[in-house]
Amino acid sequence: MTTTENVTGPIPSWDPYARGCPSRDLLDQIGSKWAVLVLGELGKHGACRFTQLRHRLAGVSEKMLTQTLRTLERDGLVLRTVHPEVPPRVEYELTALGQTLRGPLKALTEWSVRYVEEVLTAREEYDGRAVKRPSS
Amino acid sequence: MTTTENVTGPIPSWDPYARGCPSRDLLDQIGSKWAVLVLGELGKHGACRFTQLRHRLAGVSEKMLTQTLRTLERDGLVLRTVHPEVPPRVEYELTALGQTLRGPLKALTEWSVRYVEEVLTAREEYDGRAVKRPSS
DNA sequence: CCGTATCCCCCATGATACTG
DNA sequence: CAGTATCATGGGGGATACGG
């Protein structure tokens, strides 16, 4: 990706699997707990208000929701629109860039849904073997 | 927060975006920092030894690598083979189930590589606006 | 309604040392 | 070589209270 970014120093083409790689950091960002959920919701329903979002993602604290939304906004993935009304109304939606994430994210979430059973089975199997050691 | 906590009973069709959802937990697992890297490496190079892997993922501690590999093994995504030789040799490789993850994971990593520039730009823009307030 | 500010806990992660 | 054991820490993340 030969990122000729304004990084401090001449950075050789970044290895996506190397430490400190920007794209790796980005991956961690969007793959974080709440970011996936927020992106998923906004991808499914379109524009959404703060409280609305908070209600859908049952269990998220205001702090984490705000923090997540801010990060996503800063990354240019989510658009935040403040309507100058007397009871404040703020709406969040995916930007064009954010839309490009829907596919990859969908692929991953669908994988987890599809194979969760097999994984659960594998775990039981593993745990079972761990208990009774094959006697020598 | 009236969240459907981990009910130890008959599980209704889980909402992939709900709290305590197994597939969500799984997603967090495989999306975690080192898991992505390990899966990526094993997907690229095939069978790999512990130290070899550790060297490729520059920066990982023995502890985290072991822990990550154990979890992946338990989940049935990675196969661990111990060769009964005098200097211990252990090889790790993706299972069939693990292989099914390559596609989705690849999609995500490629997205992060492809759009990292735009995200970086968006951040600068955002930070720039944050400094000089538009009005007053 | 939409946040920000604080406090605080706990666990993920890292560093180090030891073992089979 | 391939781990396990132990200790230290820092920041993710929750609860709560307050502000615009």
Side-chain angles (χ1 to χ4, degrees):
Chain A
M1 313 335 65
T2 28
T3 60
T4 40
E5 268 311 306
N6 56 347
V7 205
T8 53
I11 301 300
S13 54
W14 283 100
D15 175 1
Y17 290 128
R19 209 190 160 136
C21 168
S23 60
R24 256 301 301 169
D25 295 342
L26 175 57
L27 190 55
D28 278 343
Q29 270 292 348
I30 61 176
S32 73
K33 184 174 178 175
W34 297 116
V36 190
L37 296 180
V38 168
L39 290 170
E41 279 303 317
L42 293 181
K44 282 196 299 182
H45 297 92
C48 193
R49 300 182 61 175
F50 185 85
T51 307
Q52 200 175 359
L53 209 47
R54 193 188 167 202
H55 187 255
R56 289 210 187 121
L57 311 181
V60 67
S61 65
E62 293 185 356
K63 178 183 157 185
M64 290 317 297
L65 182 53
T66 301
Q67 192 177 93
T68 303
L69 285 169
R70 282 294 174 283
T71 304
L72 293 175
E73 185 194 0
R74 190 173 101 105
D75 286 354
L77 300 173
V78 161
L79 177 64
R80 177 173 179 264
T81 310
V82 183
H83 296 85
E85 302 174 358
V86 67
R89 183 163 60 97
V90 182
E91 288 193 317
Y92 295 92
E93 60 190 314
L94 292 185
T95 62
L97 184 56
Q99 295 285 351
T100 67
L101 237 184
R102 291 187 63 189
L105 228 45
K106 192 155 172 275
L108 244 206
T109 54
E110 283 180 349
W111 181 92
S112 68
V113 169
R114 177 170 178 184
Y115 292 104
V116 63
E117 298 285 347
E118 300 192 30
V119 170
L120 256 27
T121 302
R123 284 181 189 168
E124 289 176 15
E125 211 170 298
Y126 182 93
D127 293 343
R129 277 178 301 176
V131 175
K132 45 179 179 182
R133 303 304 298 162
S135 55
S136 52
Chain B
M1 209 68 350
T2 53
T3 53
T4 32
E5 286 303 338
N6 59 351
V7 203
T8 51
I11 304 300
S13 55
W14 283 99
D15 175 1
Y17 290 128
R19 202 186 165 148
C21 168
S23 61
R24 257 301 300 169
D25 295 342
L26 176 56
L27 190 55
D28 278 343
Q29 270 292 348
I30 62 176
S32 73
K33 184 175 178 177
W34 297 116
V36 188
L37 296 180
V38 168
L39 290 170
E41 279 304 317
L42 293 182
K44 282 197 300 185
H45 298 92
C48 192
R49 300 181 61 174
F50 185 85
T51 306
Q52 201 176 358
L53 209 48
R54 192 187 168 203
H55 187 254
R56 290 210 186 119
L57 310 181
V60 68
S61 66
E62 294 185 356
K63 180 181 158 186
M64 289 318 297
L65 183 52
T66 300
Q67 189 175 307
T68 303
L69 285 169
R70 281 295 176 284
T71 303
L72 292 175
E73 187 195 359
R74 191 173 100 105
D75 285 355
L77 300 172
V78 162
L79 177 64
R80 177 172 178 264
T81 310
V82 183
H83 296 84
E85 302 173 357
V86 67
R89 184 162 60 95
V90 181
E91 288 194 317
Y92 295 91
E93 60 191 313
L94 293 186
T95 62
L97 184 56
Q99 296 283 352
T100 66
L101 237 183
R102 290 187 63 189
L105 228 44
K106 192 155 172 276
L108 244 205
T109 56
E110 283 179 349
W111 181 93
S112 68
V113 169
R114 175 169 181 188
Y115 291 104
V116 64
E117 299 283 350
E118 299 191 31
V119 169
L120 256 27
T121 302
R123 283 181 190 168
E124 289 176 15
E125 210 172 296
Y126 182 92
D127 293 343
R129 277 178 301 174
V131 175
K132 47 179 178 182
R133 303 307 300 165
S135 56
S136 80

